[in-house]
Amino acid sequence: SVKKKPKLKFPLKGKYVIMLAPAFVVDFKYPKIIFGLRKLGFDKVVEVTYGAKMVNREYHKILSSSKEFFIATTCPGIVETIKNTLPKYKKNLILVDSPMVAMAKICHKTYPKHKVVFLSPCDFKRIEAESSNYVDYVIDFKELKNILIENKIDLSKFKGKEAKFDKFYNDYTKIYPLSGGLSKTARIRKILDESEYTCIDGIKNVLKFLKKPNKKIRFLDCTFCEGGCIGGPKMNSTSPIFIRKRKIIKYSNLAKRESIPEEHKGLVEKSKGISFRKKSF
C-alpha cells in the first residue's frame, strides 16, 4: 500500500511549487487561478505541459527505432489496469515517465529548495503522485475549489490583471488532456502510418480493443477516462465532454497568441541531464 502524502496547511509558509495538470482550465479560469494559487502561498506555479513535451520526445525516439507494439503510459489508470487485468500486455507498456513525474523531476532540478505539489484531476494520478519520490503533496481539483472557498479567495477580484506561469511555458501540449492529445502533439504521423496507431478513450473501449487487437496497430494512445483527462472523476465541472473539450481548445488557441518572455519558454535545455525513461512498471 502507498503511504499517503501529508496534507497542506494554508496559507502556506515556506517555498512551494505547484504543478497544474493541463485539464485545470475546465474548472478554473486562466489566468485568475494563478493569482489564487499565489494568494494561497505558492511561490511558483507551473503547468505539466512542459513535462508532456519532454515525454513526447522520448515517445518519438522509441517509436522511431522499434517495430514492437507499444501502449502509452501517460495515463496511470491504463498502467494499473493492464498490470492487474491484462498482465500479458505489461511488456508492451512504453517505459517512459508520465508527464506528471517528468515535470516533478524538472521542478526538483530547477527549484531544489521547494516542496513540489501536484494538482490532479483524478484518483489514479493522485495514487501515482503519492508513490513518487519527486512529489511532496497532492491536491485534486475538487479539493482546490474548497481550499479557495475556505481561505476566502475570490478569483473574480483579479479582473484586468495579468499572470504568467513560472518558466517552462509550452503552448502546443495544452491539448494533452484530450483523447488523442499525445498522438497529435508528439508528431506520431511523421513516424507511423495512420493505420499503425489508434487513439481510444474510456477503459471499457481500451480493454475491448486489447482483447481483440488489430495486428496492424503498433501504438495505442489511450486514456482510462472517456474524453481523456477532462473526464476525470475529480473534475468539478458537470458539463458534457464536448463543452470541456471546447474550453481546452480555446485555451490552447489563446496560448498561441500570448506574448511570453524568453526565459519563461519551455526550452529543451532546461531539462538537460534528466532521464525520463523507466526501467520497469
Side-chain angles (χ1 to χ4, degrees), residues 230 239-247:
I230 59 173
S239 300
I241 291 297
F242 79 93
I243 296 293
R244 303 183 195 190
K245 181 177 180 180
R246 193 179 295 168
K247 286 187 175 183

Side-chain angles (χ1 to χ4, degrees), residues 154-165:
D154 183 358
L155 298 184
S156 66
K157 290 183 178 179
F158 304 113
K159 288 181 180 178
K161 294 183 179 180
E162 292 186 3
K164 302 292 184 187
F165 284 107

Side-chain angles (χ1 to χ4, degrees), residues 138-149:
V138 189
I139 303 171
D140 64 46
F141 284 24
K142 288 186 176 180
E143 288 174 332
L144 178 58
K145 181 181 178 181
N146 291 329
I147 290 168
L148 290 169
I149 293 170

Side-chain angles (χ1 to χ4, degrees), residues 6-98:
K7 282 196 173 185
L8 287 168
K9 293 182 180 180
F10 296 96
L12 296 172
K13 294 180 180 179
K15 292 187 174 183
Y16 292 82
V17 52
I18 185 166
M19 311 184 300
L20 277 62
F24 82 91
V25 74
V26 172
D27 279 349
F28 305 101
K29 289 188 178 295
Y30 170 82
K32 293 179 181 179
I33 186 58
I34 298 177
F35 279 104
L37 292 167
R38 295 201 193 283
K39 279 281 188 179
L40 287 173
F42 287 103
D43 181 50
K44 303 293 181 183
V45 183
V46 303
E47 275 188 289
V48 173
T49 48
Y50 177 65
K53 173 181 179 176
M54 303 316 297
V55 165
N56 279 357
R57 290 169 60 84
E58 299 302 324
Y59 273 67
H60 205 276
K61 291 173 189 174
I62 292 170
L63 292 170
S64 297
S65 61
S66 176
K67 298 292 183 182
E68 294 178 49
F69 168 56
F70 288 106
I71 300 171
T73 54
T74 51
C75 171
I78 291 295
V79 174
E80 291 306 309
T81 301
I82 287 177
K83 285 165 61 178
N84 297 321
T85 307
L86 290 173
K88 70 176 182 178
Y89 283 109
K90 186 178 176 182
K91 67 181 186 300
N92 303 106
L93 294 171
I94 201 161
L95 293 172
V96 175
D97 287 330
S98 71

